[in-house]
């Protein structure tokens, strides 16, 4: 179980373990009167984007979204257009 600011990420190697962790976390939150909005509750995702990483059961990979945006920009190659 990982937390970051207002996110809780639960990961495991199999579905049984995952469901056990989910139940444990929900029980702990309930005991301290913290309730989760159903609209923000996502369960059993095969991969998740966290900060600038894609996380799945196989790997943690850095995403280059910000770099990709700049690579797609078209810059003028004629000096006259820049003037």
């Amino acid at each position: 179980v990982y937390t970051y600011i207002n996110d809780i990420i639960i990961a495991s190697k199999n579905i049984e373990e995952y469901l056990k962790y989910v139940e444990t976390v929900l029980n702990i939150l309930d005991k301290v009167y913290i309730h989760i909005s159903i609209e923000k509750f996502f369960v059993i995702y095969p991969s998740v984007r966290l900060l600038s990483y894609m996380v799945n059961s196989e790997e943690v990979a850095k995403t280059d979204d910000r770099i990709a945006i700049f690579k797609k920009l078209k810059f003028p190659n004629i000096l006259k257009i820049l003037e």
Side-chain angles (χ1 to χ4, degrees), residues 15 22 33-34 50 69 72 74 79:
I15 190 70
V22 169
Y33 304 103
I34 295 175
L50 303 170
I69 291 170
K72 290 180 182 178
K74 303 241 183 229
L79 186 59

Side-chain angles (χ1 to χ4, degrees), residues 29-78:
L29 293 174
D30 189 50
K31 285 181 184 177
V32 294
Y33 304 103
I34 295 175
H35 303 285
I36 298 173
S37 170
I38 194 69
E39 293 87 19
K40 296 185 177 192
F41 188 80
F42 303 99
V43 181
I44 311 176
Y45 270 62
S47 65
V48 186
R49 183 174 176 178
L50 303 170
L51 301 175
S52 58
Y53 294 90
M54 281 303 291
V55 180
N56 61 39
S57 62
E58 304 288 318
E59 65 181 341
V60 175
K62 181 90 170 132
T63 59
D64 293 328
D65 291 344
R66 289 175 278 181
I67 294 170
I69 291 170
F70 284 102
K71 287 182 178 179
K72 290 180 182 178
L73 287 176
K74 303 241 183 229
F75 292 99
N77 57 2
I78 302 172

